[in-house]
């Protein structure tokens, strides 16, 4: 199963805004990608290399702290490598390697497209045994969020056949290289994550992995 973008130990503290280098000590929030005029800074695509993109929910500071506690509790039983708190996110739509000429249309679509705010209740641990991943997710499948994701994919269809074959499975990766043969512990109290928008994010490699927020929905 494609688990979306891979986090590595060299990931930055948070997604940086488009048009500026990643800064581990001064991460930018997704809101900053909108810029003073409601649009991200221009980014050149003259290299015409494919760009690795995905849509995601990015947690606020309180949700990050709660997710980090979930991660620590699971790691005590399953071992593995905990995701850096600032890289925690929930992938909504993983586009993979996208032609550079689609970056601008995808950015425009993100900026003009509304994304309904909502609440996501994370109340269970889960595992991807083959990938040795432990994750947090909703027990009910998050139907309202799934409907938003379906609508997002329908709009993305105007730009080409980008949708993967596998269904949406909402989760936040907490641990990698974990012992998934060992069942995770009972989860902490349910975490209610209130989200307001989604972000379009580039996963870049320049000797280390880093995230660049290209745009945020309205």
């Amino acid at each position: 199963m494609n688990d979306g973008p891979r986090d590595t130990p060299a990931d930055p503290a948070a997604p940086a805004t488009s048009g500026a280098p990643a800064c581990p000590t001064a991460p930018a929030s997704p809101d900053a990608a909108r810029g003073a005029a409601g649009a991200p800074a221009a980014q050149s695509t003259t290299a015409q290399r494919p760009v690795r993109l995905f849509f995601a929910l990015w947690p606020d500071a309180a949700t990050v702290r709660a997710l980090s506690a979930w991660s620590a509790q699971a790691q005590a039983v399953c071992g593995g490598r905990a995701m850096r708190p600032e890289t925690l996110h929930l992938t909504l739509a993983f586009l993979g390697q996208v032609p550079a000429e689609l970056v601008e249309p995808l950015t425009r679509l993100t900026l003009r497209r509304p994304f309904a705010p909502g609440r996501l209740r994370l109340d269970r641990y889960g595992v991807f045994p083959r990938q040795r991943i432990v994750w947090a997710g909703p027990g009910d499948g998050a139907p309202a969020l799934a409907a938003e994701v379906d609508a997002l994919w329908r709009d993305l269809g105007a730009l080409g056949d980008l949708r993967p074959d596998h269904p949406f499975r909402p989760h936040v990766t907490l641990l990698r290289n974990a012992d998934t043969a060992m069942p995770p512990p009972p989860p902490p109290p349910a975490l209610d994550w209130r989200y307001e928008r989604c972000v379009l994010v580039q996963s870049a490699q320049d000797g280390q992995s880093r995230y660049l927020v290209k745009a945020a929905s309205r």
Side-chain angles (χ1 to χ4, degrees):
M1 176 180 292
N2 187 337
D3 184 44
R6 295 294 299 269
D7 295 314
T8 71
D11 275 341
T17 54
S18 175
C23 179
T25 59
S29 69
D31 285 345
R34 301 176 66 86
Q43 178 135 346
S44 172
T45 56
T46 55
Q48 296 301 306
R49 295 180 179 177
V51 179
R52 199 166 189 246
L53 296 174
F54 62 99
F55 286 89
L57 299 181
W58 222 274
D60 59 20
T63 304
V64 167
R65 288 192 295 270
L67 286 169
S68 296
W70 276 61
S71 179
Q73 183 166 311
Q75 190 178 35
V77 174
C78 302
R81 174 173 62 83
M83 298 296 94
R84 292 178 62 175
E86 300 85 351
T87 66
L88 294 168
H89 63 274
L90 188 148
T91 299
L92 299 172
F94 183 64
L95 306 180
Q97 296 289 342
V98 172
E101 59 266 24
L102 285 183
V103 173
E104 185 176 345
L106 284 165
T107 299
R108 290 198 304 267
L109 181 147
T110 305
L111 290 169
R112 72 169 184 264
R113 189 184 181 281
F115 190 87
R119 185 191 71 172
L120 177 66
R121 170 157 285 200
L122 304 177
D123 55 10
R124 64 181 291 251
Y125 286 120
V127 300
F128 295 142
R130 183 171 61 84
Q131 295 93 336
R132 299 177 62 194
I133 284 172
V134 176
W135 48 264
D140 65 357
L145 183 60
E148 281 295 314
V149 171
D150 280 341
L152 173 61
W153 279 118
R154 285 196 297 271
D155 290 347
L156 289 170
L159 299 178
D161 185 14
L162 302 173
R163 188 166 192 169
D165 293 334
H166 60 78
F168 176 56
R169 190 171 181 179
H171 67 279
V172 178
T173 296
L174 301 175
L175 305 174
R176 293 193 183 276
N177 301 322
D179 180 3
T180 52
M182 178 70 66
L191 167 59
D192 286 331
W193 176 354
R194 297 186 182 276
Y195 56 87
E196 295 184 356
R197 60 181 62 86
C198 71
V199 291
L200 174 65
V201 184
Q202 178 180 346
S203 178
Q205 287 277 353
D206 58 357
Q208 64 176 7
S209 295
R210 59 195 179 107
Y211 293 138
L212 304 170
V213 172
K214 307 294 290 185
S217 66
R218 60 185 180 88

